[in-house]
C-alpha cells in the first residue's frame, strides 16, 4: 500500500512547482489496522438531537440494536453538541444534558451487547460564545463576512482548514478517546462548508502555493488548480493529526472522517485508500433521477482504492431530497432495493436514524427484517474478492481539471453494463499498475480525458499483456492537469490522430451499419441489429484521422441533414467512408475506440441500439466466455463473489416502473432466470442454495460450468455455491 501511495503521489503532483505541497506528500504512511475493523457486518447509527437527553428511551434503542443483530454502532458524542460532561472549553454541552452522561450510558449498553462502538462528532457549526472568544474559528465568505449557519442562523459555520479543526476538535477527539476508549471516531462534515476566505486560509494558501485564494471555479485558473490540491493537503494533514492523536491514547483505534466517493468527489480516493483502514460510503438514498444501482456504484468506487479493506454503506430510513425532511420515513420497498444493491456490491449496511425520539416508526420492522436476513447470510457475505473480468475506469483528475459533465459518460456505461448483466468493477485511474488490473480482461475508459504519460503507458502495457480496451470521445486528449494535448496520449493504441476539432452538437445524424463486402457478413459489434441498416448517431464527435488501416469499418457516418421544414428532411449523403468506431487487434489484446459520445448519449437518450453496441463492444474486446451469464426477463444487477469456501452470484431485481426515478412503490417479482457460472479450476460444488428462497435448486454441471434455474426473484436472490 505504501509504495503504491507514494508512487501515486508523484503522479498527483507531477510537474506542479509547489515544493511545500510535494514535501508534505512524502509523509504518507499507513498506520496499523485496528483489530476490530473486519468484524462488524451490520452497523447501526443513532444521531442524537440536542433535546434527546432525558427524553429518549435508551433501553428501546439497545433492544432494537439487539433485535436487528447489529454488531457495530455509531453514537453521537460531541463537536457541535456534547452528549457527555466535557471539560474542553467552548465544547457546547446539550442544554438538556443536566448531570447525565448520555453518550457514556449508550456506550456501556452497547458494549454489553458485544458491539463495536464508535463515537460521532460533527465540527461544522458552533455558537456565539465560541465565535466571540475565537473569531478565527469561523468561516468567512468571499465578501469577508463571518458566516452564519444557513439552516440554524443562531449558529456559526466553522472553518474546516484552520485552528477550529486543528486545535479545538483535536482536543475534543482526545477527550472522547481518553474517557471512553471507543473503537474509532467518525467525523461528519469535517472538511469545511464551501470556500473559506478567513485570514488563516488566505495566509496558508498563499504560503503554500504563491497564489491568492481563487474566486471562480474555473479549473484552468492556476489558482483554482492549486486550491484543489492545497485543500486536499490540509485535509489529509488534519486526518493524520486526528488519527495519530487518538491512536496515542488507544492504539487499537482510528478516526474515520466521513469522505470519499467517485470521480466527482473532492479528496483523492487513491490517497484515502492508503490511509483509511475502513471507510463509510455516505450516500443514503436515491434523490431526483438517481438510478437504484447507485448504491452499488458507491461500493465499486470505494473498493477500487480500498481493495479488501471493509467498506460500509450508510442508508437513510428517510427521504433524501434537497428539502431535507430529516424526520421522514422512506417506503419499505425503496429501502430494501437500495440496501440490497449495496450488499450485492459488498457494502456492509449501516442504517442511520436522526433523533432518539421517534416521530414515525414505519421503518423499524423493514430494517429489522433486512438485518436478520443478512445475519443469516453472513457467511456468504464475507467476500474475499469479486470475480468480475471487466473494469470501468473512473478519474478524479478528469473531473477536477477537465471538468465538464465527465461523469455522464461513466453513468451511461454503468447503465449499459447493468442491462447487459455483465459483472464489473470500477478501477481508479491512478491504480492501473499490473498488480491492480491483472484481474481484469477488459478496461473501459468512458471519456477519461485527462491521463498522464505514465497512465497511458500502463494502459498500453495492459493491452500488450492481452487485455481489451474500450475508449470513448476525448479519452487521453488532455494531460493529468487537464491541459489539452496536440494528439491523444493513446494515439498509437487507438490507431487514430486528433484532427483538431469536435463536431456537434449534431442534429439528425446517423450511423450506417456495414457488412464486409468480401463475405457479406457483419462484425459481431452489430449483433442484435441484423434487421437494421442504420441507427441514430450520438451528439458530439471528435474529428480524427486514421494512422493505420481500418478495413471494413462496421459503422460509418451519415452526416447531419436538416430536420425542418419536413420537406427538407432527406439525407444529402447516403454513405461515407468515415468510420464511427475503430476496432483493432494488437497482439492478443483488442482495442475499440468510439470517437463520439456514445456513452454520454446513452445516458441521456437510452437508445436500445446504443445499448447493443456498448454490450457487443465489451463482449468483443473481452474475447473470452463470461464468468457468469444470467438469462431471463427483467433488469438485474449481477455480481459475482468468491468467499473462503464458497462462491456467490447476487441477483438484485431492479425491474420496476420506478427504476429510473424512485421511490419504488412495491417490489415486483420477476420470472425464471437461468444462471450459468464458471467454477474455479478444479473446484467441485458441494452444495448449492438459493439464500432468499431458502431452497436447494437442481444444479447441472457441464465442464467448468454449473447451471442453476432461479424460479423467481422478489428483490434480492443469492445463488450460494459451497466449494
Ligand atoms: Zn478558513
Amino acid at each position: 500500500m505504501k509504495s503504491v501511495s507514494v508512487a501515486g503521489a508523484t503522479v498527483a503532483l507531477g510537474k506542479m512547482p509547489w515544493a511545500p505541497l510535494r514535501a508534505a506528500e512524502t509523509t504518507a504512511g499507513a498506520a496499523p489496522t485496528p483489530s476490530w475493523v473486519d468484524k462488524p457486518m451490520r452497523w447501526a447509527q443513532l444521531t442524537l438531537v440536542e433535546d434527546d437527553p432525558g427524553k429518549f428511551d435508551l433501553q428501546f434503542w439497545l433492544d432494537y440494536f439487539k433485535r436487528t443483530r447489529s454488531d457495530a454502532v455509531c453514537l453521537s458524542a460531541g463537536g457541535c453538541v456534547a452528549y457527555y460532561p466535557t471539560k474542553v472549553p467552548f465544547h457546547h454541552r446539550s442544554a438538556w444534558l443536566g448531570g447525565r452522561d448520555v453518550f457514556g450510558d449508550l456506550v456501556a449498553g452497547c458494549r454489553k451487547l458485544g458491539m463495536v462502538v464508535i463515537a460521532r462528532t460533527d465540527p461544522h457549526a458552533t455558537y456565539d460564545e465560541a465565535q466571540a472568544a475565537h473569531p478565527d474559528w469561523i468561516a468567512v465568505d468571499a465578501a469577508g463576512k463571518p458566516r452564519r449557519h444557513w439552516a440554524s442562523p443562531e449558529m456559526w459555520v466553522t472553518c474546516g482548514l484552520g485552528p477550529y479543526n486543528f486545535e479545538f476538535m483535536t482536543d475534543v477527539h482526545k477527550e472522547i478517546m481518553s474517557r471512553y476508549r471507543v473503537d474509532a471516531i467518525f467525523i461528519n462534515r469535517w472538511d469545511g462548508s464551501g470556500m473559506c476566505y478567513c485570514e488563516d486560509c488566505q495566509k496558508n494558501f498563499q504560503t503554500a502555493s504563491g497564489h491568492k485564494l481563487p474566486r471562480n471555479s474555473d479549473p484552468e485558473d492556476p489558482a483554482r488548480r492549486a486550491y484543489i490540491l492545497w485543500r486536499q493537503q490540509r485535509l489529509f494533514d488534519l486526518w493524520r493529526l486526528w488519527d495519530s492523536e487518538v491512536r496515542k491514547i488507544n492504539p487499537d483505534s482510528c478516526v474515520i472522517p466521513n469522505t470519499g466517493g467517485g470521480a466527482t468527489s473532492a479528496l483523492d480516493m487513491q490517497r484515502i485508500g492508503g490511509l483509511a483502514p475502513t471507510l463509510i460510503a455516505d450516500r443514503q438514498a436515491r434523490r431526483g433521477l438517481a438510478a437504484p444501482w447507485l448504491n452499488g456504484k458507491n461500493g465499486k468506487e470505494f473498493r477500487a482504492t480500498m481493495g479488501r479493506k471493509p467498506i460500509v454503506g450508510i442508508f437513510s430510513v428517510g427521504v433524501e431530497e434537497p428539502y431535507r425532511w430529516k424526520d421522514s420515513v422512506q417506503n419499505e420497498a425503496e429501502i430494501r432495493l437500495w440496501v440490497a444493491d449495496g450488499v450485492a456490491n459488498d457494502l456492509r449496511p449501516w442504517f442511520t436514524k436522526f433523533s432518539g425520539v421517534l416521530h414515525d416508526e414505519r421503518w423499524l420492522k423493514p430494517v429489522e427484517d433486512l438485518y436478520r436476513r443478512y445475519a443469516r447470510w453472513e457467511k456468504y457475505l464475507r467476500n474475499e474478492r469479486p470475480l468480475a473480468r471487466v473494469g470501468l475506469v473512473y478519474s478524479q483528475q478528469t473531473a477536477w481539471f477537465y471538468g465538464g459533465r465527465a461523469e455522464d459518460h461513466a453513468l451511461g456505461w454503468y447503465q449499459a453494463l447493468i442491462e447487459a448483466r455483465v459483472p464489473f468493477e470500477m478501477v481508479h485511474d491512478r491504480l492501473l499498475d499490473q498488480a491492480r488490473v491483472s484481474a481484469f480482461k477488459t478496461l473501459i475508459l468512458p471519456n477519461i480525458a485527462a491521463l498522464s504519460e505514465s497512465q497511458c503507458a500502463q494502459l498500453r502495457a495492459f493491452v500488450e499483456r492481452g487485455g481489451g480496451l474500450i475508449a470513448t470521445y476525448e479519452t487521453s486528449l488532455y494531460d493529468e492537469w487537464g491541459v489539452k494535448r496536440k494528439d491523444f496520449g493513446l494515439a498509437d493504441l487507438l490507431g487514430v490522430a486528433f484532427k483538431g476539432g469536435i463536431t456537434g452538437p449534431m442534429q439528425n445524424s446517423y450511423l450506417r451499419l456495414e457488412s464486409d463486402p468480401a463475405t457479406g457478413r457483419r462484425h459481431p459489434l452489430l449483433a442484435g441489429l441484423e434487421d437494421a441498416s442504420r441507427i441514430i448517431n450520438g451528439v458530439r464527435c471528435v474529428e480524427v484521422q486514421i494512422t493505420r488501416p481500418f478495413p471494413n469499418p462496421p459503422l460509418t457516418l451519415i452526416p447531419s441533414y436538416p430536420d425542418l421544414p419536413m420537406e427538407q428532411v432527406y439525407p444529402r449523403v447516403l454513405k461515407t467512408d468515415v468510420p464511427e468506431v475503430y476496432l483493432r487487434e494488437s497482439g492478443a489484446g483488442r482495442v475499440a475506440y468510439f470517437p463520439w459520445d456514445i456513452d454520454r448519449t446513452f445516458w441521456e437518450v437510452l437508445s436500445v441500439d446504443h445499448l447493443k453496441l456498448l454490450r457487443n463492444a465489451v463482449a468483443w474486446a473481452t474475447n473470452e466466455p463470461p464468468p457468469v451469464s444470467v438469462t431471463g426477463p427483467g433488469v438485474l444487477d449481477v455480481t459475482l463473489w468468491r468467499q473462503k469456501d464458497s462462491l456467490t452470484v447476487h441477483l438484485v431485481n431492479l425491474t420496476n416502473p420506478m427504476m429510473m426515478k424512485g421511490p419504488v412503490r412495491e417490489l415486483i417479482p420477476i420470472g425464471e432466470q437461468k444462471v450459468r457460472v464458471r467454477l474455479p479450476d478444479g473446484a467441485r460444488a458441494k452444495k448449492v442454495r438459493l439464500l432468499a428462497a431458502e431452497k436447494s435448486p437442481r444444479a447441472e454441471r457441464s465442464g467448468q460450468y454449473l447451471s442453476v434455474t432461479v424460479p423467481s426473484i422478489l428483490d434480492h436472490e443469492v445463488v450460494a455455491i459451497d466449494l
Side-chain angles (χ1 to χ4, degrees):
M1 234 357 146
K2 196 172 176 183
S3 66
V4 168
S5 164
V6 171
T10 321
V11 176
L13 290 162
K15 293 171 288 190
M16 299 308 247
W18 306 316
L21 295 186
R22 197 179 297 123
E25 284 274 340
T26 57
T27 59
T33 300
S35 61
W36 57 265
V37 156
D38 195 32
K39 287 180 195 158
M41 294 294 284
R42 293 168 301 280
W43 284 79
Q45 179 181 1
L46 176 56
T47 306
L48 298 175
V49 295
E50 182 159 3
D51 75 346
D52 270 331
K55 286 190 180 174
F56 84 115
D57 180 352
L58 187 144
Q59 194 55 44
F60 165 85
W61 286 102
L62 295 177
D63 290 344
Y64 189 68
F65 297 156
K66 193 174 174 189
R67 280 209 310 283
T68 51
R69 312 266 201 278
S70 296
D71 48 14
V73 68
C74 176
L75 300 166
S76 294
C80 174
V81 172
Y83 295 97
Y84 67 93
T86 177
K87 303 234 161 56
V88 176
F90 304 106
H91 193 201
H92 173 86
R93 289 189 199 189
S94 157
W96 285 262
L97 193 65
R100 299 183 193 86
D101 179 357
V102 171
F103 174 69
D105 294 344
L106 275 166
V107 170
C110 292
R111 287 221 168 104
K112 259 192 211 147
L113 296 172
M115 300 173 86
V116 165
V117 178
I118 72 176
R120 175 189 186 275
T121 64
D122 187 325
H124 90 278
T126 193
Y127 293 83
D128 281 345
E129 209 190 356
Q131 187 269 345
H134 293 278
D136 57 332
W137 286 1
I138 307 304
V140 171
D141 67 17
K145 259 185 69 183
R147 287 176 61 194
R148 283 287 185 182
H149 195 280
W150 60 93
S152 293
E154 74 284 8
M155 298 181 75
W156 298 91
V157 177
T158 57
C159 168
L161 306 176
Y164 180 79
N165 264 345
F166 278 88
E167 292 164 20
F168 169 77
M169 283 307 297
T170 304
D171 288 343
V172 169
H173 292 150
K174 282 162 71 175
E175 182 184 64
I176 291 168
M177 191 52 80
S178 303
R179 284 186 66 122
Y180 303 100
R181 285 187 79 82
V182 284
D183 295 303
I185 298 179
F186 175 76
I187 308 132
N188 194 51
R189 288 188 182 262
W190 62 288
D191 54 353
S193 309
M195 286 288 297
C196 175
Y197 294 88
C198 77
E199 274 176 36
D200 275 293
C201 287
Q202 292 190 45
K203 188 178 72 201
N204 290 332
F205 180 63
Q206 182 131 25
T207 308
S209 73
H211 292 282
K212 287 204 165 13
L213 284 168
R215 284 166 190 272
N216 62 56
S217 53
D218 174 8
E220 288 185 26
D221 176 356
R224 170 57 61 180
R225 248 184 239 161
Y227 179 79
I228 290 171
L229 297 183
W230 172 78
R231 176 173 174 272
Q232 295 196 44
Q233 189 61 59
R234 290 294 285 170
L235 291 172
F236 282 120
D237 287 349
L238 181 61
W239 184 328
R240 288 200 189 88
L241 170 71
W242 286 341
D243 199 59
S244 69
E245 290 301 320
V246 302
R247 284 175 190 261
K248 279 181 201 159
I249 299 160
N250 176 4
D252 200 32
S253 73
C254 63
V255 294
I256 310 175
N258 186 8
T259 190
T264 56
S265 65
L267 279 193
D268 183 350
M269 283 298 288
Q270 185 229 350
R271 291 178 69 186
I272 291 173
L275 197 57
T278 183
L279 202 61
I280 321 292
D282 187 8
R283 189 177 281 166
Q284 301 183 7
R286 293 208 264 180
R287 64 159 70 176
L289 290 173
W293 42 251
L294 210 57
N295 201 18
K297 180 166 176 276
N298 290 328
K300 291 189 206 287
E301 285 162 347
F302 273 49
R303 183 163 49 259
T305 67
M306 293 293 286
R308 282 190 56 191
K309 296 175 182 181
I311 51 176
V312 183
I314 301 185
F315 67 96
S316 165
V317 303
V319 176
E320 283 295 311
E321 294 286 352
Y323 312 103
R324 296 185 58 81
W325 292 289
K326 300 314 289 178
D327 278 330
S328 62
V329 168
Q330 183 64 278
N331 192 25
E332 170 179 358
E334 180 68 23
I335 294 178
R336 280 179 63 167
L337 201 58
W338 184 255
V339 181
D341 199 63
V343 169
N345 284 284
D346 203 38
L347 281 179
R348 301 179 184 192
W350 161 318
F351 76 76
T352 181
K353 183 68 196 84
F354 300 85
S355 171
V357 175
L358 288 175
H359 305 290
D360 184 343
E361 301 194 351
R362 288 176 292 172
W363 63 277
L364 290 168
K365 181 73 165 57
V367 170
E368 182 181 336
D369 290 348
L370 267 184
Y371 270 40
R372 293 173 76 97
R373 165 187 261 195
Y374 298 141
R376 287 195 299 278
W377 296 0
E378 177 167 336
K379 173 176 129 179
Y380 295 107
L381 298 179
R382 289 202 167 268
N383 296 318
E384 300 222 317
R385 63 178 190 280
L387 300 177
R389 295 286 283 158
V390 173
L392 179 61
V393 175
Y394 74 100
S395 170
Q396 291 180 280
Q397 70 193 24
T398 295
W400 296 337
F401 302 126
Y402 162 86
R405 308 282 308 270
E407 180 83 337
D408 283 357
H409 296 260
L411 293 170
W413 269 109
Y414 206 109
Q415 172 71 19
L417 291 166
I418 291 279
E419 290 196 56
R421 302 178 167 194
V422 173
F424 66 103
E425 286 293 299
M426 293 192 70
V427 175
H428 195 276
D429 68 340
R430 298 251 177 91
L431 297 168
L432 295 171
D433 53 288
Q434 184 170 357
R436 286 280 183 157
V437 297
S438 61
F440 302 113
K441 186 66 171 31
T442 291
L443 292 177
I444 299 169
L445 305 172
N447 190 27
I448 305 298
L451 285 171
S452 68
E453 290 295 334
S454 65
Q455 289 169 311
C456 290
Q458 290 174 322
L459 292 165
R460 220 168 272 125
F462 177 76
V463 175
E464 275 163 21
R465 293 192 300 268
L469 193 82
I470 305 173
T472 65
Y473 201 52
E474 292 194 284
T475 291
S476 80
L477 195 52
Y478 295 75
D479 73 10
E480 67 270 40
W481 301 109
V483 177
K484 197 164 187 174
R485 293 191 167 101
K486 287 203 175 69
D487 199 358
F488 299 102
L490 293 173
D492 54 333
L493 214 53
L494 308 181
V496 297
F498 179 51
K499 257 175 33 183
I502 305 271
T503 308
M506 300 182 282
Q507 297 280 121
N508 199 36
S509 170
Y510 297 84
L511 302 169
R512 198 181 133 96
L513 279 53
E514 306 281 0
S515 308
D516 181 339
T519 63
R521 282 213 213 105
R522 280 183 169 181
H523 194 278
L525 185 79
L526 308 182
L529 293 164
E530 288 76 9
D531 54 352
S533 57
R534 69 176 201 172
I535 61 175
I536 60 170
N537 201 345
V539 178
R540 284 187 173 78
C541 186
V542 182
E543 293 164 10
V544 300
Q545 66 191 35
I546 58 171
T547 54
R548 58 170 60 240
F550 283 93
N552 308 320
L555 292 174
T556 55
L557 174 69
I558 300 175
S560 292
Y561 47 93
D563 59 271
L564 268 179
M566 297 317 290
E567 290 77 0
Q568 291 301 317
V569 184
Y570 58 91
R572 305 305 197 266
V573 181
L574 284 171
K575 179 171 165 55
T576 66
D577 58 359
V578 181
E580 290 298 318
V581 64
Y582 297 88
L583 305 173
R584 56 179 289 251
E585 301 190 23
S586 170
R590 291 182 165 187
V591 179
Y593 171 57
F594 292 91
W596 50 292
D597 57 350
I598 179 172
D599 36 19
R600 194 213 60 79
T601 305
F602 180 62
W603 186 235
E604 182 182 353
V605 178
L606 291 172
S607 161
V608 68
D609 293 341
H610 291 166
L611 169 64
K612 287 172 184 172
L613 293 179
L614 294 168
R615 181 190 67 196
N616 295 340
V618 173
W620 177 80
T622 308
N623 193 25
E624 67 173 22
V628 64
S629 60
V630 183
T631 320
V635 185
L636 293 176
D637 190 353
V638 178
T639 62
L640 181 62
W641 295 95
R642 180 69 202 256
Q643 302 81 37
K644 189 161 166 285
D645 301 312
S646 54
L647 183 152
T648 51
V649 184
H650 285 254
L651 306 168
V652 181
N653 176 15
L654 306 178
T655 320
N656 201 289
M658 309 312 286
M659 177 185 165
M660 301 307 278
K661 187 187 185 320
V664 301
R665 289 358 189 198
E666 58 180 332
L667 297 170
I668 300 170
I670 51 165
E672 189 176 282
Q673 305 290 325
K674 295 212 182 294
V675 179
R676 185 169 182 267
V677 58
R678 185 165 66 226
L679 299 182
D681 287 342
R684 242 169 37 85
K686 288 185 189 145
K687 189 176 93 179
V688 183
R689 284 290 281 174
L690 301 180
L691 297 185
E694 300 186 337
K695 288 198 172 97
S696 299
R698 225 169 68 86
E700 281 172 31
R701 177 81 189 249
S702 160
Q704 273 304 104
Y705 287 82
L706 194 77
S707 295
V708 173
T709 300
V710 179
S712 178
I713 304 165
L714 184 60
D715 54 342
H716 187 183
E717 185 55 276
V718 182
V719 182
I721 304 166
D722 286 356
L723 300 171

